[in-house]
Amino acid sequence: MAGTTASEVLQGFGITVGKDVDDAPSTQLYVDLPPAELVEHAVKRGEGELASNGSLVIKTGERTGRSPDDRFIVDTPDIHDKIAWGEVNRPISSERYERILAGVVDYLNQRDLFVIRGMAGADRNHSRKFLVACERASQALLIKQLLVRPLVREMARFGEPDFCVIAAPGYHCDPERDGVNSEAAVLVNFQERVVIVVGTGYSGEVKKSIFSVMNYLLPIEDDVLPMHCSASMDPISHETAVFFGLSGTGKTTLSANPTRLLIGDDEHGWSDMGVFNIEGGCYAKCEGLDSYHEPEIYNAIRFGSVCENVVLDAGRVPDYADTSITRNTRVAYPVEHIPNAWGKGMGTVPSVVLFLTCDAFGVLPPISRLTADAAMYHFVTGFTSKVAGTEIGITEPTPTFSALFGEPFMPLDPMVYAEMLRRRISDGHTRVYLVNTGWIGGGYGVGHRIELAYTRALVARALDGTIEESEFVHDDIFNVDIPTSCHGVPDGILVPRHYWKSSARYDEAAHNLAAMFEENFEKKYSHLPDAVKEAGPHAHVAGAARHRGFGLIGRRLQP
């Protein structure tokens, strides 16, 4: 990668869009167009249409979610011993990468190209400059809204980027020739500092590839913990909280709280000085969105926003209840579209950490308190249920364990991040809670998802510390402390076993999930200290209790 202008950087790859080249069609290179012009280009090119609320609505094609099996890291000597190779981080050779890159360059040289220059990291002490070259104007608009937008003076001295992303959704790989799994591929090359995203119009691949890059660079080069989390802070005290969670667990929804300042909704870094947003925008799920339950997100969808796979009615009004294309409908908008967004994108050292999980078994409590060892356990375990549409092939909630609540985006060994979190929590005297935003009163198909209003109330009491005034009981199966009361929440739902119609069926479901926890931990983390292992769930407790026919809640704890 060489050159300081966008055109010079692209020429370093052999991309000559906008240059007079013999026997090549006339093409145009568009650099850093404002949102209005990108919208005009997208509509003119038939990439999408304007909705009644002013947003640009596009369809991503066959792929409406991420394709984990199509993501690869180029295996080069400088990073070979640092990457946690496996099912998540698949290697691909430099030769195959170069072959695909050459094909993409030839393809793009026949087309106009839209380039966006932005930054990842609101804290300029830890930010990286990205150049993103897109085949589609709509994708360029989406990325422009999601990256941190440089100030005028920063753009004037932008120079050579730290990393480049090349997105060509219309280019299709040949799996047999290219050594990939399908026509789509996401290739991350840390040595060349390039990402290639091809064969998919789902822009979440571009967003998450940038996140993956930062998840490699920040711990190694900056001693900063990258986190798959949202973050907000109190407008008066500026006390900060972070919300970990995979897609569908409520990070965006719970962080868009009108009583707090929004730092960001998905990706953050935690340095010695505090938390900072890696992004400059939000990428929210739209399924079932309405103005009553989520007014901040609903009203953020206006001109400059990009909706993916949202169905429009005859009057071009978005129908967020219509999931006929996919349940993973999405919208991207700049964080400033949220009225209470904190423009600086930075907060203090977190006083509270919340792990959000969507439990499809319906046995985890709506909220529970974790010890330091239990926090370590649940961070490396990362239990949740993938919800429909977030990945190809997911049609109903599927229990899964994803280390760090973001394993698909973490190139390094999970213990690198886990040890950093443990140190940060200890140094900051941070309180940690596990929050179930999934099912209660029974598993998927029997119970129901906990009401958002109740989750909001529980989170609010955790943030202001008043939940600690409750009496707690210890759950011997899941090894957590459960509050027995919380203002704004019915007492009856707080202890899951009491809320199920059949305690015997609860015991069976709890045993099954606890056994899954133990099996996953033994398989991946048996080398961790015994104190961490013992802080997790214990399936044998559920089995013994079920056999003897008595309750599973152990000792009562004083506030």
Side-chain angles (χ1 to χ4, degrees), residues 397-413:
T398 303
T400 187
F401 292 90
S402 181
L404 323 172
F405 296 97
E407 187 174 6
F409 325 117
M410 303 295 181
L412 305 175
D413 188 300

mmCIF file of all heavy atoms in Angstrom, residues 397-413:
data_model
loop_
_atom_site.group_PDB
_atom_site.id
_atom_site.type_symbol
_atom_site.label_atom_id
_atom_site.label_comp_id
_atom_site.label_asym_id
_atom_site.label_seq_id
_atom_site.Cartn_x
_atom_site.Cartn_y
_atom_site.Cartn_z
ATOM 1 N N PRO A 397 -34.171 -19.659 17.334
ATOM 2 C CA PRO A 397 -33.094 -19.516 18.320
ATOM 3 C C PRO A 397 -32.278 -20.798 18.489
ATOM 4 O O PRO A 397 -32.831 -21.879 18.669
ATOM 5 C CB PRO A 397 -33.846 -19.160 19.605
ATOM 6 C CG PRO A 397 -35.085 -18.493 19.132
ATOM 7 C CD PRO A 397 -35.469 -19.222 17.872
ATOM 8 N N THR A 398 -30.964 -20.650 18.400
ATOM 9 C CA THR A 398 -30.057 -21.793 18.474
ATOM 10 C C THR A 398 -29.027 -21.556 19.574
ATOM 11 O O THR A 398 -28.219 -20.621 19.466
ATOM 12 C CB THR A 398 -29.327 -21.992 17.135
ATOM 13 O OG1 THR A 398 -30.293 -22.152 16.092
ATOM 14 C CG2 THR A 398 -28.429 -23.212 17.182
ATOM 15 N N PRO A 399 -29.041 -22.347 20.652
ATOM 16 C CA PRO A 399 -28.067 -22.153 21.731
ATOM 17 C C PRO A 399 -26.637 -22.267 21.208
ATOM 18 O O PRO A 399 -26.326 -23.139 20.381
ATOM 19 C CB PRO A 399 -28.390 -23.291 22.711
ATOM 20 C CG PRO A 399 -29.822 -23.630 22.427
ATOM 21 C CD PRO A 399 -29.986 -23.434 20.947
ATOM 22 N N THR A 400 -25.791 -21.368 21.666
ATOM 23 C CA THR A 400 -24.412 -21.377 21.201
ATOM 24 C C THR A 400 -23.508 -20.785 22.276
ATOM 25 O O THR A 400 -23.964 -20.071 23.171
ATOM 26 C CB THR A 400 -24.264 -20.565 19.907
ATOM 27 O OG1 THR A 400 -22.949 -20.730 19.379
ATOM 28 C CG2 THR A 400 -24.504 -19.090 20.150
ATOM 29 N N PHE A 401 -22.236 -21.114 22.188
ATOM 30 C CA PHE A 401 -21.231 -20.536 23.076
ATOM 31 C C PHE A 401 -20.222 -19.804 22.211
ATOM 32 O O PHE A 401 -19.570 -20.409 21.360
ATOM 33 C CB PHE A 401 -20.541 -21.622 23.897
ATOM 34 C CG PHE A 401 -21.449 -22.284 24.897
ATOM 35 C CD1 PHE A 401 -22.176 -23.406 24.563
ATOM 36 C CD2 PHE A 401 -21.591 -21.759 26.168
ATOM 37 C CE1 PHE A 401 -23.020 -24.015 25.471
ATOM 38 C CE2 PHE A 401 -22.436 -22.354 27.094
ATOM 39 C CZ PHE A 401 -23.154 -23.488 26.745
ATOM 40 N N SER A 402 -20.125 -18.510 22.409
ATOM 41 C CA SER A 402 -19.240 -17.678 21.600
ATOM 42 C C SER A 402 -18.359 -16.872 22.549
ATOM 43 O O SER A 402 -18.821 -15.912 23.171
ATOM 44 C CB SER A 402 -20.051 -16.750 20.695
ATOM 45 O OG SER A 402 -19.204 -15.954 19.899
ATOM 46 N N ALA A 403 -17.113 -17.293 22.681
ATOM 47 C CA ALA A 403 -16.198 -16.660 23.626
ATOM 48 C C ALA A 403 -16.214 -15.147 23.471
ATOM 49 O O ALA A 403 -16.237 -14.617 22.353
ATOM 50 C CB ALA A 403 -14.786 -17.195 23.431
ATOM 51 N N LEU A 404 -16.230 -14.462 24.599
ATOM 52 C CA LEU A 404 -16.126 -13.006 24.658
ATOM 53 C C LEU A 404 -17.372 -12.320 24.121
ATOM 54 O O LEU A 404 -17.358 -11.131 23.843
ATOM 55 C CB LEU A 404 -14.891 -12.519 23.880
ATOM 56 C CG LEU A 404 -13.636 -13.394 23.969
ATOM 57 C CD1 LEU A 404 -12.577 -12.912 23.023
ATOM 58 C CD2 LEU A 404 -13.129 -13.429 25.395
ATOM 59 N N PHE A 405 -18.455 -13.073 23.945
ATOM 60 C CA PHE A 405 -19.668 -12.552 23.328
ATOM 61 C C PHE A 405 -19.359 -11.929 21.967
ATOM 62 O O PHE A 405 -19.969 -10.949 21.564
ATOM 63 C CB PHE A 405 -20.354 -11.531 24.246
ATOM 64 C CG PHE A 405 -20.848 -12.129 25.532
ATOM 65 C CD1 PHE A 405 -20.092 -12.043 26.685
ATOM 66 C CD2 PHE A 405 -22.056 -12.803 25.579
ATOM 67 C CE1 PHE A 405 -20.538 -12.604 27.872
ATOM 68 C CE2 PHE A 405 -22.504 -13.369 26.767
ATOM 69 C CZ PHE A 405 -21.747 -13.276 27.911
ATOM 70 N N GLY A 406 -18.401 -12.526 21.269
ATOM 71 C CA GLY A 406 -18.030 -12.007 19.953
ATOM 72 C C GLY A 406 -16.928 -12.811 19.307
ATOM 73 O O GLY A 406 -16.107 -12.273 18.558
ATOM 74 N N GLU A 407 -16.861 -14.114 19.567
ATOM 75 C CA GLU A 407 -15.774 -14.956 19.070
ATOM 76 C C GLU A 407 -15.576 -14.874 17.560
ATOM 77 O O GLU A 407 -14.430 -14.931 17.094
ATOM 78 C CB GLU A 407 -16.018 -16.414 19.489
ATOM 79 C CG GLU A 407 -14.860 -17.346 19.173
ATOM 80 C CD GLU A 407 -15.079 -18.738 19.725
ATOM 81 O OE1 GLU A 407 -16.187 -19.009 20.247
ATOM 82 O OE2 GLU A 407 -14.149 -19.559 19.635
ATOM 83 N N PRO A 408 -16.635 -14.741 16.745
ATOM 84 C CA PRO A 408 -16.417 -14.691 15.295
ATOM 85 C C PRO A 408 -15.553 -13.530 14.832
ATOM 86 O O PRO A 408 -15.079 -13.529 13.698
ATOM 87 C CB PRO A 408 -17.845 -14.561 14.736
ATOM 88 C CG PRO A 408 -18.718 -15.142 15.771
ATOM 89 C CD PRO A 408 -18.064 -14.758 17.073
ATOM 90 N N PHE A 409 -15.343 -12.537 15.701
ATOM 91 C CA PHE A 409 -14.611 -11.343 15.299
ATOM 92 C C PHE A 409 -13.294 -11.181 16.054
ATOM 93 O O PHE A 409 -12.655 -10.137 15.952
ATOM 94 C CB PHE A 409 -15.481 -10.095 15.520
ATOM 95 C CG PHE A 409 -16.947 -10.338 15.264
ATOM 96 C CD1 PHE A 409 -17.886 -10.213 16.278
ATOM 97 C CD2 PHE A 409 -17.378 -10.724 14.005
ATOM 98 C CE1 PHE A 409 -19.225 -10.451 16.049
ATOM 99 C CE2 PHE A 409 -18.724 -10.966 13.760
ATOM 100 C CZ PHE A 409 -19.653 -10.831 14.783
ATOM 101 N N MET A 410 -12.902 -12.212 16.821
ATOM 102 C CA MET A 410 -11.715 -12.109 17.664
ATOM 103 C C MET A 410 -10.591 -12.992 17.111
ATOM 104 O O MET A 410 -10.627 -14.209 17.270
ATOM 105 C CB MET A 410 -12.050 -12.522 19.101
ATOM 106 C CG MET A 410 -13.190 -11.716 19.725
ATOM 107 S SD MET A 410 -12.750 -9.977 19.937
ATOM 108 C CE MET A 410 -14.253 -9.338 20.699
ATOM 109 N N PRO A 411 -9.596 -12.403 16.459
ATOM 110 C CA PRO A 411 -8.540 -13.212 15.839
ATOM 111 C C PRO A 411 -7.571 -13.852 16.829
ATOM 112 O O PRO A 411 -6.966 -14.876 16.527
ATOM 113 C CB PRO A 411 -7.801 -12.211 14.939
ATOM 114 C CG PRO A 411 -8.712 -11.032 14.824
ATOM 115 C CD PRO A 411 -9.487 -11.000 16.098
ATOM 116 N N LEU A 412 -7.402 -13.240 18.006
ATOM 117 C CA LEU A 412 -6.416 -13.729 18.959
ATOM 118 C C LEU A 412 -7.024 -14.778 19.886
ATOM 119 O O LEU A 412 -8.242 -14.973 19.915
ATOM 120 C CB LEU A 412 -5.863 -12.569 19.781
ATOM 121 C CG LEU A 412 -5.259 -11.405 18.985
ATOM 122 C CD1 LEU A 412 -4.857 -10.271 19.925
ATOM 123 C CD2 LEU A 412 -4.069 -11.872 18.159
ATOM 124 N N ASP A 413 -6.172 -15.447 20.645
ATOM 125 C CA ASP A 413 -6.642 -16.409 21.628
ATOM 126 C C ASP A 413 -7.602 -15.720 22.600
ATOM 127 O O ASP A 413 -7.321 -14.622 23.085
ATOM 128 C CB ASP A 413 -5.442 -16.979 22.406
ATOM 129 C CG ASP A 413 -5.831 -18.126 23.328
ATOM 130 O OD1 ASP A 413 -6.652 -17.905 24.228
ATOM 131 O OD2 ASP A 413 -5.301 -19.232 23.137
#
